[in-house]
């Protein structure tokens, strides 16, 4: 790729809207936290951990992902995890990050909700103070567990209502359609939470329709399988429903055979509000700029496409009008300064 385009991609101000904090746990930090908590890992080195990251599908990843996060025990662990991610994102010129967390994967092994959220909050404050990065937190329900457990988790999080902007839905998609969670999403909406859901990653387009119509999702995480349903594509375009697409994740989890087969560019050409994100960067071989670079290389994206993706990321973010305007102005300034220089 030409150096100028590379510099444009890395330097452009952007928002990340689809990142699982637990999926940013790099093997080196995993070992550090295991030592801190006197836990044994089934691996001898960070390199050996990375060796194990060969996935067949979403489930084969999730099995390793839930095992990896068992080193997160105390408030400091959640703080270190979050701060490490936010500093790494800042290095990629991420100005705003909306971060998922999976509380049930922690409370289910005896870590209190309070520990998780207090640790994350400490890091958010420190990162914003150090770098100016703004953040939102989105609580995800694990869809392989029951709707009753999701509802209990929502109630458990209410003492920390102010820390949490929205709720989402993740984990094993096939066989766990959004309609199962319509009730808890309705309750979350009544409480003023913003709503997002993973849909159309491995699941069929019908799951995206359910996420919109039955769960009330405002944004679809992944959503790449919408392309199989032209009527749905037209609706997503008309209603400007954002898709938070994660190219490296989709290739690693075999949603697409290769990056050249990814439908990101087709979705953009169809006029959808697409964003590029890292999903679980420690597991899928890269952060947001790595995703943009890999997609650009394989799909032949240009500077205009990158500017559109960055603009979309701020348009799709849960930002207030003033903050959105400020971020978009900074983006426009970057684009016009860059054109003047080259
Ligand atoms: N949890 C973490 N990453 C996920 C993904 N890509 N899909 C569903 N659940 C997840
Ligand atoms: Zn995800």
């Amino acid at each position: 790729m030409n150096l100028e385009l590379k510099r444009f991609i890395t330097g452009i101000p952007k928002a990340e809207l689809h990142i699982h904090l637990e999926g940013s746990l790099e093997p080196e930090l995993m070992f550090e936290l295991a030592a801190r908590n006197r836990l044994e890992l089934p691996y001898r080195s960070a390199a050996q951990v990375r060796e194990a990251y060969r996935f067949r599908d979403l489930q084969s990843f999730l099995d390793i992902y839930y095992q990896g996060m068992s080193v997160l025990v105390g408030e400091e662990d959640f703080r270190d995890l979050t701060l490490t991610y936010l500093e790494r994102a800042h290095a990629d010129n991420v100005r705003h990050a909306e971060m998922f967390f999976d509380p049930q994967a922690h409370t289910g092994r005896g870590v209190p909700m309070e520990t998780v959220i207090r640790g994350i909050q400490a890091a958010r404050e420190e990162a914003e103070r150090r770098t100016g990065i703004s953040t939102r937190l989105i609580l995800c329900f694990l869809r392989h567990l029951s709707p009753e457990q999701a509802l209990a988790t929502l109630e458990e999080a209410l003492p920390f209502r102010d820390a949490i902007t929205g709720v989402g839905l993740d984990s094993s998609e096939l066989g766990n359609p959004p309609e199962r969670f319509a009730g808890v999403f309705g309750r979350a909406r009544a409480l003023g939470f913003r709503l997002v859901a993973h849909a159309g990653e491995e699941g069929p387009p019908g799951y995206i329709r359910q996420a919109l119509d039955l769960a009330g999702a405002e944004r679809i995480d992944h959503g790449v399988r919408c392309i199989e349903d032209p009527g749905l594509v037209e609706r997503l375009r008309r209603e400007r429903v954002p898709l938070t697409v994660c190219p490296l994740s989709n290739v690693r989890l075999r949603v697409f055979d290769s990056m050249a087969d990814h439908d990101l560019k087709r979705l953009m050409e169809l006029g959808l509000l697409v964003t590029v994100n890292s999903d679980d960067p420690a597991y899928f071989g890269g952060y947001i700029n790595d995703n943009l670079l890999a997609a650009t290389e394989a799909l032949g994206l240009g500077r205009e496409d990158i500017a559109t993706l960055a603009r979309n990321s701020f348009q799709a973010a849960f930002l207030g009008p003033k903050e959105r305007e400020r971020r978009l102005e900074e983006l426009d300034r970057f684009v016009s300064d860059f054109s003047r220089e080259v």
Side-chain angles (χ1 to χ4, degrees):
M1 178 186 321
N2 86 51
L3 249 152
E4 239 158 60
L5 183 56
K6 193 166 179 184
R7 210 157 51 77
F8 187 77
I9 290 169
T10 55
I12 197 168
K14 53 186 76 75
E16 173 147 69
L17 307 178
H18 185 161
I19 158 79
H20 301 262
L21 279 175
E22 297 90 342
S24 73
L25 176 61
E26 293 286 351
E28 290 75 13
L29 183 58
M30 195 186 289
F31 273 97
E32 208 178 305
L33 300 184
R36 182 188 285 173
N37 294 311
R38 298 186 164 74
L39 296 167
E40 281 279 345
L41 287 176
Y43 308 102
R44 280 192 311 278
S45 65
Q48 201 185 39
V49 177
R50 288 197 173 90
E51 276 287 296
Y53 293 173
R54 289 204 207 122
F55 311 115
R56 280 187 315 281
D57 54 15
L58 175 58
Q59 192 58 51
S60 66
F61 154 68
L62 289 169
D63 294 341
I64 285 185
Y65 166 78
Y66 293 123
Q67 186 185 72
M69 68 176 78
S70 64
V71 299
L72 298 162
V73 178
E75 200 174 306
E76 283 284 286
D77 305 337
F78 289 92
R79 177 191 164 278
D80 291 353
L81 173 76
T82 308
L83 195 54
T84 304
Y85 162 68
L86 287 172
E87 296 206 314
R88 182 65 187 74
H90 173 65
D92 276 3
N93 288 300
V94 170
R95 300 290 195 262
H96 176 77
E98 305 197 346
M99 310 174 294
F100 296 132
F101 74 120
D102 285 331
Q104 290 164 290
H106 311 303
T107 56
R109 51 190 179 84
V111 177
M113 180 73 81
E114 183 181 2
T115 300
V116 179
I117 296 180
R118 285 171 66 104
I120 295 172
Q121 288 301 89
R124 290 175 66 187
E125 285 164 24
E126 186 161 348
E128 177 150 25
R129 198 167 54 241
R130 279 195 211 167
T131 69
I133 193 168
S134 54
T135 61
R136 301 285 183 271
L137 191 57
I138 299 177
L139 181 160
C140 279
F141 303 119
L142 298 182
R143 69 202 308 163
H144 69 271
L145 301 178
S146 72
E148 293 73 25
Q149 286 167 302
L151 200 53
T153 301
L154 180 62
E155 298 300 328
E156 215 181 328
L158 288 185
F160 313 98
R161 174 70 189 83
D162 293 350
I164 302 167
T165 297
V167 303
L169 186 64
D170 66 1
S171 195
S172 321
E173 187 181 10
L174 286 169
N176 296 304
E179 66 177 343
R180 288 182 74 219
F181 296 88
V184 64
F185 269 65
R187 167 91 178 123
R189 195 207 330 235
L191 289 164
F193 289 99
R194 308 300 297 263
L195 309 177
V196 302
H198 282 54
E201 177 186 17
E202 281 190 344
Y207 282 23
I208 301 174
R209 290 183 181 274
Q210 284 186 19
L212 298 171
D213 295 331
L214 305 179
E218 303 168 67
R219 228 164 48 197
I220 300 294
D221 297 311
H222 295 293
V224 288
R225 286 195 60 192
C226 71
I227 207 148
E228 297 166 29
D229 180 342
L232 176 60
V233 168
E234 177 49 25
R235 174 180 178 190
L236 294 169
R237 190 193 62 75
R238 197 176 54 242
E239 297 179 8
R240 291 185 61 70
V241 178
L243 303 184
T244 64
V245 174
C246 308
L248 285 171
S249 164
N250 292 153
V251 174
R252 287 297 192 99
L253 300 187
R254 311 270 191 95
V255 173
F256 298 97
D257 291 336
S258 74
M259 194 59 85
D261 297 309
H262 200 287
D263 66 6
L264 172 76
K265 192 174 182 189
R266 274 173 286 160
L267 297 174
M268 292 178 75
E269 287 164 356
L270 288 164
L272 299 195
L273 208 161
V274 178
T275 67
V276 164
N277 308 269
S278 69
D279 206 9
D280 302 283
Y283 290 89
F284 301 146
Y287 288 78
I288 191 166
N289 285 353
D290 302 309
N291 274 272
L292 286 164
L293 289 165
T296 296
E297 183 99 318
L299 302 172
L301 304 183
R303 231 194 277 167
E304 288 256 312
D305 298 312
I306 299 301
T308 298
L309 288 167
R311 173 162 280 275
N312 288 352
S313 73
F314 293 116
Q315 296 287 10
F318 295 141
L319 285 165
K322 276 214 181 104
E323 219 180 342
R324 195 189 316 281
E325 210 38 54
R326 183 167 67 85
R327 298 300 192 192
L328 286 169
E329 278 168 17
E330 188 201 0
L331 166 59
D332 288 342
R333 226 176 307 123
F334 174 88
V335 173
S336 56
D337 288 353
F338 197 95
S339 321
R340 215 168 309 119
E341 271 172 40
V342 297

